[in-house]
């Protein structure tokens, strides 16, 4: 039976999940929603990116061909604004898009916030948990 599978976030384990799904199911729709605008990447490589020892392309767990080959739709740079568990729906960007799902996986969402401390929003202060944070360095 064809299912609609929605993966929220872009943890480095997401490609392994996709491979496991595709090993048993070639037909279901798979969609990744990544609010930080990136396909799954290895967060352990963020310090190496800051040091310019690797490129952002090298930090990706799988290249973009992997997602095309496995028929994965990617919605990048859009925020999840609501999850309706009763209707099995995920709302993106205040009703810009509503995704129906049969299976919902919350992989990793980059919505971490720094503590509410005076000065935390100044230039040069950032959380090293997103690929985009490296650009601030």
């Amino acid at each position: 039976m064809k299912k609609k599978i929605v993966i929220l976030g872009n943890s480095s384990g997401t490609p392994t999940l996709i491979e496991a799904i595709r090993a048993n199911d070639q037909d279901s729709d798979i969609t990744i929603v990544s609010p930080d605008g990136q396909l799954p990447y290895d967060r352990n490589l963020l310090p190496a990116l800051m040091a310019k020892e690797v490129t952002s392309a090298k930090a990706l767990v799988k290249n973009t061909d992997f997602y095309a080959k496995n028929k994965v739709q990617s919605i990048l740079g859009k925020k999840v604004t609501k999850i309706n568990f009763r209707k099995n729906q995920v709302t993106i960007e205040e009703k810009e898009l509503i995704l129906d799902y049969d299976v919902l996986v919350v992989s990793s969402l980059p919505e971490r916030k720094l503590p509410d401390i005076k000065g935390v929003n100044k230039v040069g202060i950032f959380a090293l948990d997103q690929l985009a944070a490296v650009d601030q360095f």
Side-chain angles (χ1 to χ4, degrees):
M1 183 174 124
K2 186 174 178 175
K3 296 179 185 173
K4 294 180 180 180
I5 302 167
V6 174
I7 303 170
L8 301 181
N10 60 356
S11 81
S12 58
T14 299
T16 303
L17 171 64
I18 292 166
E19 289 171 336
I21 292 168
R22 287 296 182 231
N24 299 302
D25 178 356
Q26 293 294 313
D27 298 323
S28 289
D29 296 329
I30 301 175
T31 303
I32 295 175
V33 180
S34 174
D36 74 351
Q38 304 294 328
L39 289 170
Y41 57 90
D42 185 348
R43 285 171 175 74
N44 293 320
L45 291 177
L46 294 179
L49 274 166
M50 291 174 70
K52 309 274 190 249
E53 296 170 356
V54 297
T55 63
S56 57
K58 291 284 185 184
L60 294 176
V61 178
K62 297 283 187 179
N63 65 31
T64 55
D65 294 342
F66 169 83
Y67 301 96
K69 177 184 164 192
N70 285 287
K71 299 178 279 185
V72 176
Q73 178 187 7
S74 300
I75 300 173
L76 306 177
K78 302 285 185 177
K79 287 189 176 187
V80 174
T81 54
K82 182 179 179 183
I83 301 173
N84 187 326
F85 295 106
R86 191 173 33 82
K87 292 183 179 180
N88 287 14
Q89 293 180 328
V90 174
T91 302
I92 310 295
E93 296 283 336
E94 301 296 337
K95 297 186 181 179
E96 179 181 309
L97 176 64
I98 297 176
L99 301 173
D100 294 315
Y101 67 84
D102 297 303
V103 177
L104 178 66
V105 178
V106 179
S107 175
S108 175
L109 293 174
E111 298 296 325
R112 296 179 189 94
K113 294 183 180 179
L114 292 170
D116 189 19
I117 299 171
K118 185 177 179 180
V120 77
N121 294 322
K122 289 185 176 185
V123 174
I125 308 293
F126 59 94
L128 187 59
D129 61 352
Q130 297 179 33
L131 192 58
V134 173
D135 294 334
Q136 297 176 25
F137 185 70

